[in-house]
Amino acid sequence: MKLTDNVLRSFRVAKVFRENSDKINCFDFSSNGETIISSSDDDSLVLYDCQEGKPKRTLYSKKYGVDLIRYTHAANTVVYSSNKIDDTIRYLSLHDNKYIRYFPGHNKRVTSLSMSPVDDTFISGSLDKTIRLWDLRSPNCQGLMHLQGKPVCSFDPEGLIFAFKLTGPFATFKLQYDRTCEWTGLKFSNDGKLILLSTNGGALRILDAFKGAVLHSFGGYNNSKSVTLEASFTPDSQFVMIGSEDGKIHVWNAESGMKVALLDGKHTGPITCLQFNPKFMTFASACSNMVSVDYLMIAS
């Protein structure tokens, strides 16, 4: 089924999961869309079955804590950043709950973590003002970039690195900077044509990925407490979504810039995490609860 304005307006909450006792920091869908894994301030990693719509397993990282989390290319392994003891990134087997490798190097909190879509490399950005390039097969940092401020970085669909506030090997875009808020997220659309910049204020921007021109700026959602809210493209690159502090989900058409839907996420707090399933007609959002939102067919 193709995503349209009307289809997006028809999405409704399917299930609410209350597996966590504290805020969910991050979650990530597996590439096949069959599972999703979340990380929380309660030191838990919860694995959900998207097809059956239920939790499968809960693991804990009591000693190190768990902040950002990403699937690797194998659906049974993840990398995640820590928020206790140190800022080492850890490579974990979900099958037997054992660490495969550690990636030490950052000395402050990791704020960006992105797996390459084409190989076993990943990048991380930190409050220590560095971006590091890693390979899952080696604990040693493969590349290091020093920046002037907090980095936000991501891979594009072809595995090329883009990082703002950095003179990169491909292109450098200068944007007018709003000093009332910080840029907190950067994502490429799946077709590689657009870049989505999110902030801890009340505004999003879509850029032309080749020219760097600002195509649209989106606002009108609540974020008075300057919370880091995750914004995402839909898999077809046609729509942009973000949650808000009042539990609502705002959706815009990426081409026209028009708001097409306002959905009630049934959340009790700010929606800090939001992603669309890469394969199925569903998306997930999270505060301290995980919510699955599905397409609801409404008979005419």
Side-chain angles (χ1 to χ4, degrees):
M1 179 181 291
K2 182 180 179 180
L3 278 177
T4 64
D5 296 359
N6 287 332
V7 167
L8 281 164
R9 294 188 193 106
S10 300
F11 274 74
R12 298 291 185 271
V13 171
K15 290 192 176 183
V16 178
F17 302 100
R18 296 180 174 86
E19 307 301 307
N20 299 100
S21 59
D22 210 332
K23 179 177 75 75
I24 294 174
N25 296 321
C26 184
F27 61 69
D28 195 37
F29 281 101
S30 60
S31 59
N32 60 14
E34 295 179 359
T35 61
I36 185 172
I37 191 166
S38 69
S39 57
S40 170
D41 273 348
D42 63 12
D43 303 329
S44 70
L45 298 83
V46 183
L47 184 65
Y48 299 86
D49 187 311
C50 295
Q51 294 178 306
E52 295 186 9
K54 63 181 182 182
K56 290 179 63 176
R57 191 181 182 192
T58 299
L59 307 174
Y60 291 95
S61 181
K62 293 290 187 181
K63 182 177 181 180
Y64 303 113
V66 55
D67 195 1
L68 302 181
I69 190 164
R70 298 286 182 262
Y71 273 106
T72 67
H73 293 292
N76 61 349
T77 59
V78 295
V79 290
Y80 72 84
S81 61
S82 309
N83 53 16
K84 290 183 177 180
I85 298 181
D86 58 28
D87 300 285
T88 295
I89 298 169
R90 291 173 166 82
Y91 182 19
L92 177 69
S93 167
L94 301 176
H95 173 70
D96 51 12
N97 194 24
K98 292 183 178 180
Y99 292 114
I100 301 172
R101 192 160 287 114
Y102 300 90
F103 303 95
H106 289 300
N107 53 41
K108 289 186 178 180
R109 178 173 165 255
V110 174
T111 55
S112 291
L113 190 62
S114 178
M115 278 296 306
S116 167
V118 297
D119 56 30
D120 286 333
T121 59
F122 67 95
I123 52 174
S124 58
S126 166
L127 292 178
D128 63 14
K129 300 180 181 179
T130 66
I131 291 176
R132 291 177 180 264
L133 175 67
W134 309 89
D135 189 306
L136 288 175
R137 296 164 293 185
S138 170
N140 301 316
C141 176
Q142 306 297 302
L144 174 63
M145 293 169 282
H146 292 275
L147 308 176
Q148 297 300 311
K150 172 186 171 183
V152 177
C153 54
S154 178
F155 279 100
D156 78 344
E158 296 181 353
L160 303 176
I161 297 173
F162 179 94
F164 85 86
K165 291 189 179 179
L166 174 69
T167 302
F170 305 106
T172 301
F173 306 143
K174 291 185 178 180
L175 301 177
Q176 185 176 357
Y177 184 66
D178 184 353
R179 297 187 180 278
T180 64
C181 60
E182 292 182 348
W183 293 338
T184 55
L186 183 155
K187 292 184 179 181
F188 280 85
S189 58
N190 280 342
D191 62 11
K193 297 179 180 179
L194 303 173
I195 295 171
L196 178 61
L197 284 177
S198 52
T199 72
N200 62 355
L204 300 173
R205 286 181 177 179
I206 287 185
L207 311 181
D208 183 304
F210 301 103
K211 299 178 181 178
V214 177
L215 301 178
H216 298 293
S217 293
F218 304 123
Y221 57 92
N222 295 326
N223 192 16
S224 62
K225 298 180 181 178
S226 299
V227 177
T228 297
L229 305 175
E230 182 179 17
S232 294
F233 285 104
T234 51
D236 61 4
S237 308
Q238 300 303 304
F239 298 93
V240 171
M241 314 173 71
I242 194 170
S244 60
E245 65 183 11
D246 59 3
K248 299 292 193 298
I249 297 166
H250 300 252
V251 187
W252 295 269
N253 186 295
E255 183 177 1
S256 69
M258 299 295 293
K259 182 176 284 189
V260 299
L262 179 61
L263 307 174
D264 187 357
K266 307 294 184 183
H267 284 281
T268 57
I271 300 175
T272 53
C273 305
L274 178 68
Q275 290 180 31
F276 212 100
N277 190 302
K279 298 296 183 183
F280 303 112
M281 194 67 76
T282 182
F283 67 88
S285 56
C287 54
S288 57
N289 300 327
M290 177 77 79
V291 173
S292 172
V293 186
D294 290 351
Y295 173 64
L296 178 65
M297 183 67 75
I298 301 175
S300 58

